[in-house]
Amino acid sequence: MLRASTAVTIGVGATAAVLVAALVQGADDDPLSTALSLTVPSQYTTLIEDAGNTCSEVTPNLLAALLTQESGFNPKAQSGVGAEGIAQFMPSTWEAHGIDGNGDGKRDVWDPADAIPSAAKYLCEIAKDVKDVPGNRQSNMLAAYNAGSGAVRKYGGIPPYKETQNYVKSIQALADQPSSGKTVTASVDQAVTAINAAVEMLGTPYSWGGGNANGPSTGTCCSPNGSSGTKISGFDCSGLTLYAYARAGISLPRTAAQQYAASEPVKKGEARLGDLVFYGSGPTSIHHVGIYIGGGWMIDAPRPGTKVRYDRIDVMSDLFAIARPTSRSSKEI
């Protein structure tokens, strides 16, 4: 078994090996207001707390979760379709709904002091637009932020778009974390425990939808290519990470996109033993996750027809982010 104070060589096939070193540097946690249970850059805390009380459907936690999902608090973010700034406003939407939040005489989508209160105001306006649509009002509001109020009204709730459905689930999973005044990222000891748990599952079959906090399980039907996990006991990618971190006392959401939303992004050069490696074109389109073990390698459950194994983190071309799981409402196992 791995220990946090040692470097261990793990066999990878017959010819390769990976040196896994437990890095001991700690993460700097931003102090948070008691109104938030999410990790928020300190320069945005007051903005989010103030704007997060604009209407009853919007809370500081929900607003922080939305900004995490939209841009990772990057005020210079720009998407491939033209969305801009920390809240990812499309230019036409900003023109119609952007406000001068800091009173400096201009509305600037790239200025968080304008964009954050504008996002809260726009959410409240959307909530009014879809208030008569059946279902959870907050869920419908978030769906409308992503897909438009018209789509929510057309389908009588969250539209049947996978991106929008994952968007709503991911934000709510992150926003619903219980308030503790501070978010704590996984420690080195917890990361080592999670890796040990994953190592014990090497060779376990891939099962679409398979795996839970207790270990391998039969999955569901069906993957995008039609593969069913209903007769296979094993793990899919997020089932493996969920199980591994459950052994370390950290409860992760079920899907890879939700797990990203519930983790704290780190720079690639600062990746640490046990960090999660995410693949996709954006926060709502994440399709794969693995557990980083150092040296450019990870443990993952790759795809139907494979087994839990070691892979290089560049095995897929769409590496999106590396993030550190957070500990909030967990217990030791």
Short mmCIF file of all heavy atoms in Angstrom, two decimals, residues 82-123:
data_model
loop_
_atom_site.label_atom_id
_atom_site.label_comp_id
_atom_site.label_asym_id
_atom_site.label_seq_id
_atom_site.Cartn_x
_atom_site.Cartn_y
_atom_site.Cartn_z
N GLY A 82 -18.47 32.37 -28.35
CA GLY A 82 -18.50 33.80 -28.15
C GLY A 82 -18.93 34.29 -26.79
O GLY A 82 -19.01 35.51 -26.57
N ALA A 83 -19.24 33.39 -25.84
CA ALA A 83 -19.61 33.82 -24.50
C ALA A 83 -18.40 34.46 -23.82
O ALA A 83 -17.26 34.00 -23.99
CB ALA A 83 -20.12 32.65 -23.68
N GLU A 84 -18.64 35.52 -23.03
CA GLU A 84 -17.54 36.33 -22.54
C GLU A 84 -17.59 36.54 -21.03
O GLU A 84 -18.66 36.69 -20.43
CB GLU A 84 -17.57 37.70 -23.23
CG GLU A 84 -17.40 37.62 -24.74
CD GLU A 84 -17.57 38.97 -25.42
OE1 GLU A 84 -18.30 39.83 -24.87
OE2 GLU A 84 -16.97 39.16 -26.50
N GLY A 85 -16.43 36.58 -20.42
CA GLY A 85 -16.28 37.00 -19.04
C GLY A 85 -16.56 35.93 -18.00
O GLY A 85 -16.81 34.78 -18.31
N ILE A 86 -16.51 36.35 -16.75
CA ILE A 86 -16.63 35.43 -15.63
C ILE A 86 -17.97 34.71 -15.59
O ILE A 86 -18.08 33.58 -15.12
CB ILE A 86 -16.37 36.18 -14.30
CG1 ILE A 86 -16.07 35.22 -13.17
CG2 ILE A 86 -17.52 37.13 -13.98
CD1 ILE A 86 -15.55 35.91 -11.91
N ALA A 87 -19.03 35.38 -16.10
CA ALA A 87 -20.37 34.78 -16.10
C ALA A 87 -20.78 34.27 -17.48
O ALA A 87 -21.90 33.80 -17.66
CB ALA A 87 -21.41 35.78 -15.60
N GLN A 88 -19.89 34.38 -18.47
CA GLN A 88 -20.10 33.84 -19.81
C GLN A 88 -21.39 34.36 -20.46
O GLN A 88 -22.24 33.58 -20.91
CB GLN A 88 -20.06 32.31 -19.79
CG GLN A 88 -18.67 31.74 -19.53
CD GLN A 88 -17.72 31.99 -20.71
OE1 GLN A 88 -17.72 31.25 -21.68
NE2 GLN A 88 -16.92 33.08 -20.61
N PHE A 89 -21.51 35.66 -20.54
CA PHE A 89 -22.61 36.29 -21.26
C PHE A 89 -22.34 36.29 -22.76
O PHE A 89 -21.23 36.63 -23.19
CB PHE A 89 -22.79 37.74 -20.81
CG PHE A 89 -23.60 37.93 -19.57
CD1 PHE A 89 -22.98 38.10 -18.34
CD2 PHE A 89 -24.99 37.95 -19.62
CE1 PHE A 89 -23.73 38.30 -17.19
CE2 PHE A 89 -25.74 38.13 -18.47
CZ PHE A 89 -25.11 38.31 -17.26
N MET A 90 -23.34 35.93 -23.56
CA MET A 90 -23.26 36.19 -24.99
C MET A 90 -23.42 37.69 -25.20
O MET A 90 -24.13 38.36 -24.45
CB MET A 90 -24.35 35.42 -25.73
CG MET A 90 -24.18 33.91 -25.68
SD MET A 90 -22.66 33.33 -26.50
CE MET A 90 -23.07 33.68 -28.23
N PRO A 91 -22.76 38.26 -26.22
CA PRO A 91 -22.82 39.72 -26.42
C PRO A 91 -24.24 40.27 -26.48
O PRO A 91 -24.52 41.34 -25.90
CB PRO A 91 -22.08 39.91 -27.75
CG PRO A 91 -21.09 38.80 -27.77
CD PRO A 91 -21.80 37.63 -27.15
N SER A 92 -25.14 39.58 -27.16
CA SER A 92 -26.51 40.08 -27.27
C SER A 92 -27.22 40.05 -25.92
O SER A 92 -28.00 40.97 -25.59
CB SER A 92 -27.30 39.26 -28.29
OG SER A 92 -27.35 37.89 -27.90
N THR A 93 -26.94 39.03 -25.13
CA THR A 93 -27.55 38.94 -23.79
C THR A 93 -26.99 40.03 -22.89
O THR A 93 -27.72 40.65 -22.11
CB THR A 93 -27.31 37.55 -23.18
OG1 THR A 93 -27.75 36.55 -24.09
CG2 THR A 93 -28.06 37.40 -21.87
N TRP A 94 -25.69 40.25 -22.98
CA TRP A 94 -25.09 41.31 -22.18
C TRP A 94 -25.66 42.68 -22.55
O TRP A 94 -25.95 43.49 -21.67
CB TRP A 94 -23.57 41.32 -22.35
CG TRP A 94 -22.93 42.44 -21.59
CD1 TRP A 94 -22.46 43.63 -22.08
CD2 TRP A 94 -22.72 42.49 -20.17
NE1 TRP A 94 -21.95 44.40 -21.07
CE2 TRP A 94 -22.11 43.73 -19.88
CE3 TRP A 94 -22.98 41.61 -19.13
CZ2 TRP A 94 -21.76 44.11 -18.58
CZ3 TRP A 94 -22.64 41.98 -17.84
CH2 TRP A 94 -22.04 43.21 -17.58
N GLU A 95 -25.84 42.91 -23.83
CA GLU A 95 -26.38 44.18 -24.28
C GLU A 95 -27.75 44.43 -23.67
O GLU A 95 -28.10 45.56 -23.31
CB GLU A 95 -26.47 44.20 -25.81
CG GLU A 95 -26.96 45.51 -26.40
CD GLU A 95 -26.04 46.68 -26.09
OE1 GLU A 95 -24.82 46.47 -25.91
OE2 GLU A 95 -26.55 47.83 -26.01
N ALA A 96 -28.55 43.34 -23.55
CA ALA A 96 -29.91 43.49 -23.04
C ALA A 96 -29.99 43.46 -21.51
O ALA A 96 -30.89 44.08 -20.93
CB ALA A 96 -30.79 42.37 -23.61
N HIS A 97 -29.05 42.79 -20.85
CA HIS A 97 -29.21 42.55 -19.41
C HIS A 97 -28.03 42.97 -18.55
O HIS A 97 -28.12 42.94 -17.33
CB HIS A 97 -29.49 41.06 -19.17
CG HIS A 97 -30.73 40.56 -19.83
ND1 HIS A 97 -31.99 40.77 -19.32
CD2 HIS A 97 -30.89 39.86 -21.00
CE1 HIS A 97 -32.89 40.22 -20.11
NE2 HIS A 97 -32.25 39.66 -21.14
N GLY A 98 -26.92 43.37 -19.16
CA GLY A 98 -25.76 43.79 -18.36
C GLY A 98 -26.02 45.10 -17.64
O GLY A 98 -26.71 45.99 -18.16
N ILE A 99 -25.49 45.22 -16.42
CA ILE A 99 -25.68 46.44 -15.62
C ILE A 99 -24.33 46.99 -15.18
O ILE A 99 -23.31 46.29 -15.18
CB ILE A 99 -26.57 46.18 -14.39
CG1 ILE A 99 -25.90 45.18 -13.43
CG2 ILE A 99 -27.95 45.69 -14.80
CD1 ILE A 99 -26.65 44.99 -12.11
N ASP A 100 -24.34 48.25 -14.80
CA ASP A 100 -23.17 48.90 -14.24
C ASP A 100 -23.16 48.63 -12.73
O ASP A 100 -23.63 49.43 -11.93
CB ASP A 100 -23.23 50.40 -14.53
CG ASP A 100 -22.07 51.18 -13.90
OD1 ASP A 100 -21.09 50.53 -13.47
OD2 ASP A 100 -22.17 52.42 -13.84
N GLY A 101 -22.62 47.50 -12.36
CA GLY A 101 -22.70 47.05 -10.98
C GLY A 101 -21.89 47.88 -10.00
O GLY A 101 -22.25 48.00 -8.83
N ASN A 102 -20.76 48.44 -10.45
CA ASN A 102 -19.89 49.18 -9.54
C ASN A 102 -20.04 50.69 -9.67
O ASN A 102 -19.31 51.44 -9.02
CB ASN A 102 -18.44 48.77 -9.74
CG ASN A 102 -17.94 49.02 -11.16
OD1 ASN A 102 -18.69 49.52 -12.01
ND2 ASN A 102 -16.70 48.65 -11.42
N GLY A 103 -20.98 51.13 -10.50
CA GLY A 103 -21.26 52.55 -10.61
C GLY A 103 -20.15 53.40 -11.19
O GLY A 103 -20.05 54.59 -10.88
N ASP A 104 -19.33 52.82 -12.06
CA ASP A 104 -18.23 53.60 -12.65
C ASP A 104 -18.63 54.23 -13.98
O ASP A 104 -17.78 54.79 -14.70
CB ASP A 104 -16.98 52.75 -12.81
CG ASP A 104 -17.15 51.61 -13.82
OD1 ASP A 104 -18.28 51.42 -14.33
OD2 ASP A 104 -16.15 50.90 -14.08
N GLY A 105 -19.90 54.10 -14.34
CA GLY A 105 -20.39 54.75 -15.55
C GLY A 105 -20.32 53.93 -16.81
O GLY A 105 -20.67 54.42 -17.89
N LYS A 106 -19.92 52.67 -16.71
CA LYS A 106 -19.90 51.82 -17.91
C LYS A 106 -20.25 50.38 -17.53
O LYS A 106 -20.03 49.95 -16.39
CB LYS A 106 -18.54 51.86 -18.59
CG LYS A 106 -17.37 51.41 -17.73
CD LYS A 106 -16.06 51.52 -18.49
CE LYS A 106 -14.87 51.09 -17.64
NZ LYS A 106 -13.59 51.19 -18.38
N ARG A 107 -20.83 49.68 -18.50
CA ARG A 107 -21.16 48.27 -18.32
C ARG A 107 -20.10 47.45 -19.04
O ARG A 107 -20.02 47.46 -20.25
CB ARG A 107 -22.55 47.97 -18.91
CG ARG A 107 -23.68 48.77 -18.27
CD ARG A 107 -25.03 48.38 -18.88
NE ARG A 107 -25.04 48.59 -20.33
CZ ARG A 107 -25.63 47.77 -21.20
NH1 ARG A 107 -26.26 46.70 -20.78
NH2 ARG A 107 -25.60 48.04 -22.49
N ASP A 108 -19.30 46.72 -18.28
CA ASP A 108 -18.16 46.00 -18.84
C ASP A 108 -18.29 44.51 -18.53
O ASP A 108 -18.17 44.10 -17.37
CB ASP A 108 -16.86 46.56 -18.25
CG ASP A 108 -15.61 45.96 -18.88
OD1 ASP A 108 -15.74 45.05 -19.74
OD2 ASP A 108 -14.50 46.39 -18.51
N VAL A 109 -18.52 43.71 -19.55
CA VAL A 109 -18.70 42.28 -19.36
C VAL A 109 -17.44 41.61 -18.81
O VAL A 109 -17.50 40.55 -18.17
CB VAL A 109 -19.13 41.60 -20.68
CG1 VAL A 109 -17.97 41.55 -21.68
CG2 VAL A 109 -19.68 40.19 -20.44
N TRP A 110 -16.27 42.24 -19.02
CA TRP A 110 -15.01 41.67 -18.55
C TRP A 110 -14.70 42.07 -17.11
O TRP A 110 -13.72 41.57 -16.54
CB TRP A 110 -13.86 42.13 -19.46
CG TRP A 110 -14.09 41.80 -20.90
CD1 TRP A 110 -14.43 42.66 -21.91
CD2 TRP A 110 -14.03 40.50 -21.52
NE1 TRP A 110 -14.58 42.00 -23.10
CE2 TRP A 110 -14.34 40.66 -22.88
CE3 TRP A 110 -13.76 39.23 -21.03
CZ2 TRP A 110 -14.37 39.60 -23.77
CZ3 TRP A 110 -13.79 38.16 -21.93
CH2 TRP A 110 -14.10 38.35 -23.27
N ASP A 111 -15.52 42.94 -16.53
CA ASP A 111 -15.31 43.40 -15.15
C ASP A 111 -16.22 42.61 -14.22
O ASP A 111 -17.44 42.76 -14.27
CB ASP A 111 -15.62 44.89 -15.04
CG ASP A 111 -15.28 45.47 -13.68
OD1 ASP A 111 -15.02 44.68 -12.74
OD2 ASP A 111 -15.28 46.70 -13.55
N PRO A 112 -15.67 41.77 -13.35
CA PRO A 112 -16.51 40.98 -12.44
C PRO A 112 -17.45 41.84 -11.60
O PRO A 112 -18.54 41.39 -11.22
CB PRO A 112 -15.50 40.23 -11.57
CG PRO A 112 -14.30 40.11 -12.44
CD PRO A 112 -14.24 41.40 -13.21
N ALA A 113 -17.04 43.09 -11.30
CA ALA A 113 -17.89 43.96 -10.50
C ALA A 113 -19.17 44.33 -11.23
O ALA A 113 -20.17 44.71 -10.60
CB ALA A 113 -17.13 45.23 -10.11
N ASP A 114 -19.18 44.22 -12.55
CA ASP A 114 -20.39 44.39 -13.35
C ASP A 114 -21.03 43.05 -13.68
O ASP A 114 -22.25 42.89 -13.61
CB ASP A 114 -20.07 45.13 -14.66
CG ASP A 114 -19.70 46.59 -14.45
OD1 ASP A 114 -20.00 47.13 -13.37
OD2 ASP A 114 -19.11 47.16 -15.37
N ALA A 115 -20.19 42.07 -14.06
CA ALA A 115 -20.71 40.80 -14.57
C ALA A 115 -21.39 39.96 -13.49
O ALA A 115 -22.40 39.30 -13.76
CB ALA A 115 -19.59 40.00 -15.23
N ILE A 116 -20.86 39.96 -12.27
CA ILE A 116 -21.44 39.12 -11.22
C ILE A 116 -22.83 39.60 -10.81
O ILE A 116 -23.78 38.81 -10.80
CB ILE A 116 -20.48 39.00 -10.02
CG1 ILE A 116 -19.26 38.16 -10.42
CG2 ILE A 116 -21.19 38.36 -8.81
CD1 ILE A 116 -18.18 38.08 -9.36
N PRO A 117 -23.02 40.89 -10.50
CA PRO A 117 -24.39 41.33 -10.20
C PRO A 117 -25.31 41.23 -11.42
O PRO A 117 -26.52 41.00 -11.26
CB PRO A 117 -24.23 42.78 -9.73
CG PRO A 117 -22.88 43.20 -10.17
CD PRO A 117 -22.04 41.96 -10.22
N SER A 118 -24.75 41.37 -12.63
CA SER A 118 -25.57 41.20 -13.83
C SER A 118 -26.07 39.77 -13.95
O SER A 118 -27.22 39.53 -14.34
CB SER A 118 -24.77 41.58 -15.08
OG SER A 118 -24.46 42.95 -15.11
N ALA A 119 -25.20 38.80 -13.63
CA ALA A 119 -25.62 37.39 -13.69
C ALA A 119 -26.74 37.12 -12.70
O ALA A 119 -27.71 36.42 -13.03
CB ALA A 119 -24.41 36.49 -13.39
N ALA A 120 -26.62 37.66 -11.49
CA ALA A 120 -27.67 37.46 -10.49
C ALA A 120 -28.98 38.10 -10.95
O ALA A 120 -30.06 37.50 -10.84
CB ALA A 120 -27.24 38.05 -9.15
N LYS A 121 -28.91 39.32 -11.47
CA LYS A 121 -30.11 40.01 -11.96
C LYS A 121 -30.75 39.24 -13.10
O LYS A 121 -31.98 39.07 -13.16
CB LYS A 121 -29.74 41.42 -12.41
CG LYS A 121 -30.90 42.22 -13.01
CD LYS A 121 -30.44 43.63 -13.34
CE LYS A 121 -31.55 44.43 -14.03
NZ LYS A 121 -31.80 43.95 -15.40
N TYR A 122 -29.92 38.74 -14.01
CA TYR A 122 -30.44 37.99 -15.16
C TYR A 122 -31.09 36.69 -14.71
O TYR A 122 -32.15 36.30 -15.21
CB TYR A 122 -29.29 37.71 -16.13
CG TYR A 122 -29.71 37.02 -17.41
CD1 TYR A 122 -30.84 37.41 -18.11
CD2 TYR A 122 -28.93 35.98 -17.92
CE1 TYR A 122 -31.21 36.77 -19.29
CE2 TYR A 122 -29.28 35.35 -19.10
CZ TYR A 122 -30.42 35.74 -19.77
OH TYR A 122 -30.78 35.10 -20.94
N LEU A 123 -30.48 36.00 -13.73
CA LEU A 123 -31.10 34.79 -13.19
C LEU A 123 -32.48 35.10 -12.61
O LEU A 123 -33.43 34.34 -12.82
CB LEU A 123 -30.20 34.19 -12.10
CG LEU A 123 -28.97 33.42 -12.56
CD1 LEU A 123 -28.04 33.15 -11.38
CD2 LEU A 123 -29.36 32.10 -13.23
#
